[in-house]
Every structure is written in C-alpha cells, then in structure tokens.
Amino acid sequence: MSSEVLQVQNLRTHFRTRDGMFTAVDGVSFSVKAGHTLGIVGESGCGKSVTSLSIMRLLPTRIGEIMPGSSILLNGEELVGKSNREMCKIRGNKIAMIFQDSMTSLNPVLRIEKQLVETLRTHRHMSKSEAHERATELLTQVGIPNPQARMRNYPHQLSGGMRQRVMIAMALSCAPDVLIADEPTTALDVTIQAQIMELMTELKHEVNTGIIMITHDMGVVAEIADDVVVMYAGQIVEQADVKSIFKNPKHPYTQGLLASIPRVDMKSEKLYVIEGMLPSPSNLPKGCKFSARCPQAIEICHVQAPQLIEVQGNKVRCFLYEGEAES
C-alpha cells in the first residue's frame, strides 16, 4: 500500500472583499499517495485552483486566508501556519506546481538555463557546473530535443508545448514529494496534450511523486487519475477511485459532467449540458448548493445542506443516498 505524502483535512479558505468575507473552499479533505495521481475536477469557479493555491500557501496577501481548523500535512509536516520564509524552502523543493499558462509562469527576460540552474542551486546547493549538467538531463528527460541549444533560448522562442515541458522539468528538478498540475494542457493542441499526459504518467512512475491534476476535462481524468475528487461551489460532492467515478457516478453533478462528454458510439444532435450557472460565493443557495441546477432535486435539497456520506465505496454529498449510507 502506497504511503500518503499529502493529507488535506477540513480545508476552509475565505476571501475578503468590499462586500464581506466569502468562502471559496469549504471543508475539503483528501489525501495523495506516492506514485499516484489525484484528479480534482469541476467547472471553472468551483474552488479547484484556490485549493491548490491554499496548499502551496500562495493565496493573495491580506485577501485570501486559510481558516483555523484547516490542516495541510506534507509527509506529516503541518504547512498551515508556516511563515513565507519557511514556505520558500518547501515550494519547488518538497512540493512543486505547474501553472496553466507557461508563458506567464516563466520569466520572459531570463534564458531557460538561468531559470533551471537557479532552482537547482537554491534548493539543492549545487555548483554552477553541476546544476547546468542536471538541467540538461532534465530537459532530455521531458523530451526536449537538443537541450543544450534550448537552454540558451528565452521563453518566447519556444512553442507552447516546449514551454510546458520546461515547466515540468523545473517542477521535477528537486524530485518533489508532491506535484500540483493546474490545467497544464488547456492552452495546448490535442497532440501536445496527449504527449504531456504521457510524459507526466511516465515521470510519476519513475520519480514516485504524488500528483494532483486539476482539470475540468473528464477525458484527462480518465487517462491519468487513480482517484478523483469532484468539486462544486467550494465543496467535494463526490470522491472515489477513477473506475467507480466513471462506471457508477452517484452525484447528479458528476453524472452531468460525464453526460456532457461527446461519445463516438452515440449519435445525438445536441450535447448534454448542465442547466444554469455556478452560484456566486456571495449568493449561495440555501440547502444543497447544486439544488437549483439538479434535475433530481427533492424538497429537502432546497432547505438543508447534505453531508458527505459513504455509499458503495464512493463518498457522495447527496440526500438521494441517505438510506444507503455505510456506517
């Protein structure tokens, strides 16, 4: 059984605005095993990225706040409450992140070599020559041809796929225990997406890193994830292994996400869509947060908030399964 390298318990993240304090992440709990991938899926605005920024302790200063009672354990070490100076030694070293837009994540005025070497010298205390050699190995490992020449390039001289590979190389340079990938293939064409997914799967097995893959694409989840968390309006609405999610989805929101995927074996004039919009954190509905959009909503859904219960191995936040809950 794989060891858990990251444990998130009751994570609650609030944001201060002119109109008051709003909840972006509401009581989220999950764990990540070494050599495994956890997929976090949901529509834009459901709290996926805020969850990742909370784990990395990269919330906007004075606006975002992790609330008391939240716990983020990295190999048993509590991250909540650590100073920024302490976190600087952990970020990029024990836990790393690949952001969605590689063009804005890489420094546009520094050559690729400088950015890779700096990371290695900061966290691994290598000499300049050792760091240069290791940087070349990393670019080769992520499938960049002629790495010596690419090291001398600036980010704008590389294609989107190449830049994303450089980001992966930087993230893996210190062999982190946990790698968070926030929509890493969104801006890439389908062929490059497939290559990046294949690369991350290979590296996961080689380095034994635990990966959190944040995405709205259920196809990506099916391809790379071992376990899945489905988020809606800042909460987990369903949680299970990837086979259970696809073969036996229980929450109406999960069912809607899967029904929205185009299928070559079914002919239909229109794709299925989940009616309505994700509610604003400033105006959440009473009761179940999905009730206004749910085709299976019953009376209690509009007045009382459901708890996350275990049903046939899946954890699901829905009143439809109250009678089936496992003790």
Side-chain angles (χ1 to χ4, degrees):
M1 183 176 179
S2 299
S3 60
E4 294 178 346
V5 290
L6 181 72
Q7 293 173 303
V8 177
Q9 292 292 330
N10 194 35
L11 177 62
R12 292 164 56 240
T13 303
H14 290 189
F15 281 96
R16 293 184 179 85
T17 72
R18 292 178 179 177
D19 299 319
M21 185 90 82
F22 299 124
T23 303
V25 178
D26 187 7
V28 166
S29 299
F30 59 80
S31 61
V32 181
K33 298 175 182 177
H36 282 62
T37 298
L38 173 73
I40 302 182
V41 67
E43 295 169 281
S44 296
C46 71
K48 307 186 303 296
S49 293
V50 176
T51 297
S52 68
L53 292 174
S54 299
I55 294 170
M56 294 293 292
R57 297 285 312 282
L58 288 173
L59 294 170
T61 307
R62 299 179 183 175
I63 300 175
E65 181 181 358
I66 297 175
M67 303 306 291
S70 303
S71 176
I72 303 169
L73 294 174
L74 179 63
N75 282 324
E77 183 179 4
E78 181 62 72
L79 301 187
V80 176
K82 283 193 178 297
S83 67
N84 189 54
R85 186 173 183 177
E86 290 173 315
M87 283 304 301
C88 282
K89 296 178 182 179
I90 294 172
R91 293 190 206 105
N93 187 17
K94 296 180 180 179
I95 184 168
M97 188 166 179
I98 304 168
F99 293 92
Q100 182 174 342
D101 189 351
S102 58
M103 195 62 197
T104 57
S105 300
L106 293 169
N107 191 322
V109 300
L110 295 180
R111 297 181 193 273
I112 299 303
E113 176 185 16
K114 175 70 173 176
Q115 299 187 56
L116 272 169
V117 166
E118 183 178 2
T119 300
L120 290 163
R121 297 197 71 187
T122 299
H123 293 298
R124 285 294 184 256
H125 309 294
M126 293 181 175
S127 67
K128 193 170 183 179
S129 60
E130 288 173 333
H132 184 277
E133 184 179 347
R134 177 58 181 151
T136 306
E137 290 174 0
L138 285 163
L139 293 185
T140 302
Q141 189 178 12
V142 298
I144 292 182
N146 197 4
Q148 287 285 3
R150 295 302 181 190
M151 293 264 275
R152 295 191 292 272
N153 288 152
Y154 291 94
H156 73 272
Q157 294 176 301
L158 302 179
S159 67
M162 286 282 194
R163 286 196 298 270
Q164 202 61 286
R165 287 170 188 268
V166 170
M167 285 293 299
I168 294 172
M170 289 180 67
L172 292 172
S173 60
C174 297
D177 297 314
V178 177
L179 174 65
I180 302 174
D182 189 359
E183 305 270 12
T185 62
T186 298
L188 307 177
D189 64 56
V190 177
T191 304
I192 303 301
Q193 281 187 30
Q195 292 174 1
I196 296 296
M197 288 298 100
E198 183 179 0
L199 170 64
M200 292 189 68
T201 301
E202 291 173 0
L203 293 173
K204 173 181 69 174
H205 295 307
E206 290 175 11
V207 186
N208 203 37
T209 294
I211 296 177
I212 297 177
M213 172 62 71
I214 296 172
T215 182
H216 62 271
D217 189 334
M218 294 299 285
V220 168
V221 170
E223 185 176 348
I224 198 171
D226 299 294
D227 301 292
V228 182
V229 161
V230 182
M231 289 188 68
Y232 185 82
Q235 291 183 326
I236 292 176
V237 295
E238 188 160 4
Q239 188 172 3
D241 64 86
V242 68
K243 289 183 179 179
S244 298
I245 287 288
F246 279 84
K247 287 186 177 180
N248 189 23
K250 297 196 173 297
H251 198 280
Y253 181 60
T254 310
Q255 294 168 359
L257 291 176
L258 291 170
S260 304
I261 303 173
R263 292 179 53 176
V264 294
D265 61 337
M266 292 180 64
K267 292 184 178 180
S268 177
E269 292 182 4
K270 291 178 65 179
L271 289 174
Y272 176 83
V273 295
I274 301 173
E275 298 293 337
M277 300 287 290
L278 194 77
S280 167
S282 63
N283 189 30
L284 292 172
K286 189 177 180 181
C288 174
K289 294 179 181 180
F290 188 59
S291 59
R293 305 174 69 189
C294 182
Q296 302 178 58
I298 53 180
E299 187 176 346
I300 192 174
C301 301
H302 300 286
V303 294
Q304 187 175 326
Q307 300 300 308
L308 199 63
I309 58 175
E310 188 160 339
V311 180
Q312 298 175 357
N314 291 30
K315 290 182 179 179
V316 59
R317 191 182 299 274
C318 186
F319 286 117
L320 296 174
Y321 303 97
E322 270 205 327
E324 304 175 39
E326 299 168 14
S327 57

